[in-house]
Amino acid sequence: MLMTRRFYLDTVGCQMNVLDSELVAAMLVGAGYVRVDRPDRADLVLFNTCSVRQHAEDKIYSALGRLKAWKQQWPGRVLGVLGCMAQKDRERIFERAPHVDLVVGPGQLGLLPLLLDGLAVGGPPQIEVSLDRASGDRHAVRSSHARHVPVRDIQAASRAVPYQAMVRVMFGCDKFCSYCIVPSVRGPEQSRPADEIVDEVRRLADAGCVEVTLLGQTVNSYCDRSGLAPVRLADLLGRVHEIDGIRRLKFVTNHPRHMTDELLQAMHELPKVSPYLHVPAQSGSNAVLERMKRGYTVEAYREMLARIRQFVPGAAVTSDFIVGFCGETEAEFQETVELVRHARFKNSFIFKYSARPGTRAAELFSDDVPESVKRRRNNELLAVQDAISLEDNQPYLGRTVEVLVEGPSKAAKKRRRNRADDAARPHPNPLPPGEGTFFGPDALWAGLQDAVQLVGRTTCDRIVVFDGPERWTGRILPVAVEKIDAFTLFGKPVAP
């Protein structure tokens, strides 16, 4: 191993990448490394990357360029690129940034300690990526992913929030939407065995985790066929629901074609399952959806929304949209605006189309919507969604909501970093998670002189900000909402 053991890990992209980074951090901590919060303090710098949009890749190449001097100061330092961009660009990364030492695809992250060993003994730059899907070798991709399935507990310190965890239930994607690079960089769809998932969640619960999010590229298409009968997502939720200690269950990301009545019925019947669904629509125009190869119509999406609200009244639904896709006319864009107005999503993630080399859209269509038009449509759709989000948050004024405390807000963390004496202050030890609503009034209000701005989430995934001691992290507590905006509820904790 390297003589120096300080690493910095930066993550760009989706929750899959966040989970991958947690696994990488766990491996490195287990090998004796110490995580630091700035690259200039590290001997090993890793970027876990995304290839969904050009902006994400440009950001990484810019960061690599800034670290050239850092590398030249001491050639023994190691600079690595992990994840989807590593899988897509491969040797091109070495060409654009010759000072990079390591390129590892998402399916080969389990090999990272061995690759670092090779660099430590003076080996050449290392690259490990999956074979192209075009090669037809499905087994090669499956084998590479199998090495990445966690086989031991992930240290709580390796997770962003110790009382929350993401558990991957499947790998890859078989949808091949025309704009999307994910099937090419993450391989074919493969569901993990249900028994393995249940065992992993049970170990997380034993370690104090109270909320689990099941992750899959199209999570509601999950199907484990390794046993006598197939286990689908509704069945898996029922099994995980029975695990003591787990208080909340979520699952993302969903595909409209797999939103079955059985799954919605499970959400209705299982109280630990959060009434929250992220179901990307991408467009409100049938013509655009066909060019995107999404496999459903706007009418089918609206029918799905109606079933969600029938089975799970009050469910919060969020979505993704791409504006300015190839050939999108003003009339087609207005159809998307109309869908957003009809659906009244809790919030939507809205992106300008970015052509990705290697996708069918890049091969078949011209990226012909001007950047200025994309920008205007992006802002217009955001304004429509923000107005809806603000209206839908209004009923929460004066209500008391149940909040899982995630810890200090971004603003509180920033203030902490700016305090000159912070380095000398020990990190507070949070209380262990409790059952029920938790503790009595005296315990609740003790230590408020040490209050910071905290952030948490409701069962329907609404963000709540309030003041309290950091030791409340991991607790589920009642918060009275006193103010709202389109994105956040603001309140104060209520004594039980």
Side-chain angles (χ1 to χ4, degrees):
M1 275 292 180
L2 299 173
M3 294 299 293
T4 50
R5 296 179 180 270
R6 294 169 296 175
F7 76 97
Y8 171 81
L9 176 58
D10 192 9
T11 305
V12 177
C14 65
Q15 288 177 298
M16 287 287 190
N17 278 18
V18 174
L19 176 55
D20 285 343
S21 289
E22 289 180 357
L23 297 171
V24 167
M27 283 189 288
L28 292 174
V29 169
Y33 288 81
V34 175
R35 190 168 189 168
V36 295
D37 60 358
R38 285 175 19 194
D40 60 340
R41 296 175 177 171
D43 311 294
L44 167 64
V45 171
L46 300 171
F47 292 98
N48 193 9
T49 61
C50 174
S51 281
V52 171
R53 285 173 293 281
Q54 186 63 45
H55 176 73
E57 294 188 1
D58 293 342
K59 179 179 177 180
I60 295 300
Y61 279 117
S62 177
L64 293 175
R66 291 193 298 272
L67 285 170
K68 186 174 182 179
W70 168 88
K71 176 73 173 177
Q72 290 173 338
Q73 287 175 353
W74 184 32
R77 289 168 168 166
V78 173
L79 180 59
V81 178
L82 315 177
C84 294
M85 193 180 93
Q87 177 64 40
K88 183 178 80 71
D89 284 3
R90 306 183 184 200
E91 291 84 356
R92 184 168 176 250
I93 294 174
F94 295 128
E95 296 170 5
R96 291 191 58 174
H99 53 294
V100 167
D101 304 286
L102 191 64
V103 173
V104 186
Q108 285 69 39
L109 296 178
L111 297 176
L112 189 59
L114 292 176
L115 298 174
L116 291 173
D117 283 343
L119 291 170
V121 296
Q126 303 285 310
I127 181 169
E128 278 288 341
V129 294
S130 298
L131 298 177
D132 288 327
R133 283 187 73 158
S135 70
D137 191 346
R138 188 181 180 98
H139 179 72
V141 180
R142 178 180 290 111
S143 296
S144 67
H145 279 308
R147 291 195 294 267
H148 184 48
V149 174
V151 293
R152 65 181 187 279
D153 289 333
I154 304 172
Q155 297 279 340
S158 300
R159 300 198 300 272
V161 181
Y163 300 109
Q164 295 169 291
M166 293 175 288
V167 174
R168 194 190 322 271
V169 301
M170 57 197 302
F171 299 98
C173 182
D174 286 340
K175 292 295 180 288
F176 286 99
C177 302
S178 67
Y179 56 83
C180 187
I181 195 70
V182 168
S184 298
V185 295
R186 287 195 175 267
E189 183 177 292
Q190 303 159 52
S191 295
R192 290 177 60 195
D195 289 345
E196 186 178 273
I197 295 166
V198 172
D199 180 62
E200 184 175 335
V201 175
R202 185 175 291 111
R203 286 183 283 116
L204 287 167
D206 291 343
C209 182
V210 297
E211 179 183 88
V212 166
T213 300
L214 306 180
L215 289 186
Q217 218 70 49
T218 55
V219 68
N220 54 342
S221 68
Y222 172 85
C223 186
D224 170 24
R225 300 183 184 277
S226 61
L228 296 177
V231 179
R232 303 190 185 277
L233 184 59
D235 307 311
L236 181 63
L237 287 173
R239 293 180 60 178
V240 175
H241 186 274
E242 298 305 311
I243 296 174
D244 290 338
I246 297 300
R247 305 282 300 281
R248 289 186 182 179
L249 278 173
K250 298 177 183 177
F251 52 95
V252 292
T253 292
N254 295 278
H255 193 282
R257 284 168 49 191
H258 301 288
M259 194 61 67
T260 64
D261 288 354
E262 290 77 14
L263 178 56
L264 295 175
Q265 185 66 30
M267 290 185 67
H268 174 74
E269 294 176 351
L270 302 174
K272 292 181 183 179
V273 178
S274 294
Y276 161 72
L277 288 164
H278 183 63
V279 197
Q282 303 300 4
S283 176
S285 163
N286 283 333
V288 174
L289 289 173
E290 184 174 355
R291 293 197 294 276
M292 289 179 168
K293 304 298 182 187
R294 287 291 288 172
Y296 54 85
T297 63
V298 177
E299 292 75 19
Y301 191 92
R302 290 190 179 205
E303 186 272 336
M304 176 206 68
L305 287 174
R307 286 189 294 109
I308 289 173
R309 279 148 188 168
Q310 173 190 348
F311 280 93
V312 193
V317 182
T318 61
S319 190
D320 291 348
F321 288 94
I322 297 172
V323 299
F325 185 68
C326 308
E328 184 186 61
T329 65
E330 193 63 31
E332 290 167 345
F333 169 69
Q334 290 303 323
E335 290 180 294
T336 296
V337 173
E338 178 56 31
L339 175 61
V340 172
R341 287 182 173 141
H342 166 81
R344 299 193 67 82
F345 299 109
K346 179 178 78 73
N347 62 273
S348 294
F349 301 94
I350 301 166
F351 308 100
K352 297 177 293 182
Y353 173 65
S354 175
R356 313 308 299 132
T359 62
R360 294 292 289 166
E363 296 172 5
L364 297 175
F365 308 122
S366 172
D367 184 9
D368 54 358
V369 178
E371 182 64 25
S372 60
V373 175
K374 291 179 182 179
R375 189 181 309 114
R376 191 257 303 163
R377 291 176 183 173
N378 187 89
N379 292 337
E380 181 178 336
L381 196 59
L382 275 173
V384 171
Q385 177 61 65
D386 289 352
I388 292 169
S389 298
L390 181 60
E391 291 173 6
D392 284 0
N393 279 348
Q394 289 288 344
Y396 286 87
L397 269 175
R399 285 176 53 182
T400 297
V401 294
E402 188 180 77
V403 176
L404 173 59
V405 185
E406 296 180 351
S409 67
K410 290 181 180 179
K413 291 177 181 177
K414 184 176 181 180
R415 285 195 294 270
R416 170 183 290 168
R417 288 194 297 267
N418 291 338
R419 294 180 63 167
D421 60 346
D422 181 64
R425 181 178 291 104
H427 192 283
N429 293 318
L431 294 172
E435 294 296 327
T437 304
F438 67 103
F439 41 96
D442 293 340
L444 172 64
W445 300 109
L448 277 179
Q449 65 272 18
D450 298 324
V452 297
Q453 187 181 73
L454 299 174
V455 64
R457 291 179 188 264
T458 66
T459 56
C460 57
D461 206 55
R462 282 178 164 83
I463 298 171
V464 185
V465 172
F466 54 96
D467 289 342
E470 193 172 344
R471 64 189 182 85
W472 287 356
T473 299
R475 294 285 183 171
I476 294 177
L477 71 153
V479 175
V481 179
E482 299 180 325
K483 187 174 70 170
I484 60 100
D485 65 21
F487 314 105
T488 310
L489 311 180
F490 302 87
K492 66 178 181 181
V494 178

